[in-house]
Each structure stands twice: as C-alpha cells, then as structure tokens.
Amino acid sequence: QVRLVESGGDRVQPGGSLRLSCTASGNIFAIWQMKWHRQTPGKQPQLVANSNRDGSADYLDSVKGRFIISRDNAKKTVYLQMNNLKPDDTAVYLCSAEVQGARGTIPDEYWGQGTQVTVSS
C-alpha cells in the first residue's frame, strides 16, 4: 500500500506565497508522474500541475508564471511553490502519484487527503 501526505497549506493574503509538499511512503519501486490538483466545494478536482520523472512539467494556464512544481525523487516528494496567490486559488490542494510497486508491474494512481489553501485579506 502507498500513502501520500500533503502539508504546507495555510491562510495567506493576496500576493502572498506558500510552498506545499507531498511525500509518498509504502510499497514503492518507482514513481512516475506526480501531480497537484485543487478542489473547491461541489466541484471535481482540477489538475494544477504535473511533474514527470524526467523533470518536465505542465501547468494549468491560470497558474503559469506563478506556480512551480518540483520533485525530489530520492525523498519521494513533490513540491508546489505558489507565488502571487489570488483569492481564486483558494481550494483544497491534493497530490497524486503514479506508483509502480515492483519491477515490470503497471503503475497505480494514489491520492493524498489534501491541504487547505485560503487566500483572503
């Protein structure tokens, strides 16, 4: 079994910054894509950024130039640096990871429980 734990959520003023972390633990042979999503009440999770194993990344248009996703494969951790935060960024931020449990097996996707980010004056 694999567990993902997020941290770093907080309440900040518009224009502020936060750094989220998500660490995977458990039965892990390799981690492929690691992603950050966000969810507001009554809506489906929205993909914010994804980090590939080779370090390449993709972003939601509305966060480009403000958010940076990075990862430390040795620590099995993905980060989301969020700058110039706006009230519309308020959401629960969840991470997910494609985890291969053993060599030659098909990766499964696992999700964390989320961390709350509130942007308000």
Side-chain angles (χ1 to χ4, degrees):
Q1 190 65 2
V2 173
R3 185 182 182 207
L4 298 179
V5 178
E6 302 98 333
S7 63
D10 205 343
R11 183 185 184 99
V12 296
Q13 293 188 344
S17 297
L18 284 174
R19 188 193 194 207
L20 307 182
S21 300
C22 172
T23 300
S25 62
N27 183 30
I28 299 171
F29 171 75
I31 302 176
W32 298 94
Q33 280 196 338
M34 301 187 82
K35 303 176 182 179
W36 282 101
H37 315 256
R38 64 189 182 189
Q39 187 173 28
T40 53
K43 294 188 177 181
Q44 293 294 314
Q46 177 185 43
L47 178 62
V48 174
N50 70 271
S51 173
N52 298 308
R53 189 171 173 82
D54 63 2
S56 61
D58 299 289
Y59 297 92
L60 178 70
D61 282 347
S62 62
V63 307
K64 285 180 180 177
R66 299 189 297 123
F67 291 9
I68 301 171
I69 189 171
S70 61
R71 61 192 283 174
D72 185 329
N73 289 329
K75 295 182 178 180
K76 301 181 179 64
T77 298
V78 63
Y79 305 96
L80 187 68
Q81 177 66 43
M82 304 187 296
N83 301 318
N84 190 22
L85 282 160
K86 304 176 180 181
D88 284 350
D89 296 319
T90 296
V92 173
Y93 282 72
L94 308 103
C95 71
S96 69
E98 294 178 347
V99 178
Q100 191 178 9
R103 186 185 299 275
T105 61
I106 297 173
D108 290 316
E109 187 173 45
Y110 295 88
W111 288 70
Q113 294 297 307
T115 185
Q116 177 70 46
V117 171
T118 302
V119 185
S120 174
S121 55

